[in-house]
Amino acid sequence: MASLNVGSLGEYLREQRRTAQLSLRQLADAAGVSNPYLSQIERGLRKPSAEVLQQVAKALRISAETLYVRAGILDAERERDEVETRAVILADPSLDERQKQVLLQIYESFRKENAAARAERSPGETEGSGGGTRDDRAGGAEGTDGGAEPSSSS
């Protein structure tokens, strides 16, 4: 009983390849993998590495994180929001490729900045504060003093 989601990953890759109107050989060439190997991935016979998934995602111009989740490399629940946001940005027909990439870079920089701020404030807490990071980002870029709220830990 393998816990791998390789079958659904292969089906998803085939669907994305067809949507991009690429042949198996064209995608294999663009991703830098062999045609037979890519065929085996699509048929669910092989589990590709994260590196191969990243190359395929780049060739398809889709989120590598989406493929990681489908392959079982990333935790689906934890990463779902980020993956969905990236997928929506990449699927938006009103944005050109450059705009999509810039928007994704900005999005990622905000996520990293907020994660670092959360870790600095309370290393032991988990995601309990919810939407507070957006307020922190909007109002506290200059005067960030870690002692705004006194901590009462003994």
Side-chain angles (χ1 to χ4, degrees), residues 113 135-146:
E113 186 176 323
D135 293 337
D136 293 345
R137 178 73 195 121
E142 294 174 344
T144 314
D145 67 337

Side-chain angles (χ1 to χ4, degrees), residues 17 22-36 38:
R17 177 176 57 79
L22 293 171
S23 70
L24 191 65
R25 178 165 282 126
Q26 288 171 321
L27 178 57
D29 288 343
V33 298
S34 73
N35 189 33
L38 185 58

Side-chain angles (χ1 to χ4, degrees), residues 8-24:
S8 67
L9 169 66
E11 292 166 14
Y12 180 75
L13 281 175
R14 181 177 293 123
E15 177 185 313
Q16 293 301 310
R17 177 176 57 79
R18 289 180 177 162
T19 300
Q21 297 179 337
L22 293 171
S23 70
L24 191 65

Side-chain angles (χ1 to χ4, degrees), residues 31-54:
V33 298
S34 73
N35 189 33
Y37 182 61
L38 185 58
S39 175
Q40 291 173 344
I41 294 169
E42 280 193 358
R43 290 181 287 140
L45 302 175
R46 295 276 187 158
K47 181 183 181 200
S49 68
E51 183 179 324
V52 168
L53 288 175
Q54 185 174 15

Side-chain angles (χ1 to χ4, degrees), residues 18-132:
R18 289 180 177 162
T19 300
Q21 297 179 337
L22 293 171
S23 70
L24 191 65
R25 178 165 282 126
Q26 288 171 321
L27 178 57
D29 288 343
V33 298
S34 73
N35 189 33
Y37 182 61
L38 185 58
S39 175
Q40 291 173 344
I41 294 169
E42 280 193 358
R43 290 181 287 140
L45 302 175
R46 295 276 187 158
K47 181 183 181 200
S49 68
E51 183 179 324
V52 168
L53 288 175
Q54 185 174 15
Q55 292 170 239
V56 171
K58 185 176 180 182
L60 287 171
R61 296 184 176 173
I62 61 174
S63 163
E65 288 84 0
T66 302
L67 298 184
Y68 297 159
V69 169
R70 290 193 175 259
I73 295 172
L74 286 181
D75 178 24
E77 287 182 30
R78 218 178 76 210
E79 301 296 329
R80 189 180 73 223
D81 291 341
E82 180 183 355
V83 169
E84 287 175 357
T85 301
R86 289 174 178 276
V88 168
I89 291 169
L90 291 169
D92 190 331
S94 66
L95 299 174
D96 65 31
E97 281 304 309
R98 183 189 61 77
Q99 291 168 329
K100 290 176 185 179
Q101 293 308 312
V102 168
L103 191 53
L104 286 171
Q105 288 172 354
I106 292 168
Y107 173 69
E108 185 59 33
S109 71
F110 282 159
R111 287 183 54 82
K112 286 180 181 175
E113 186 176 323
N114 291 340
R118 274 194 308 271
E120 211 174 272
R121 275 196 309 266
S122 52
E125 272 185 35
T126 56
E127 300 175 32
S129 60

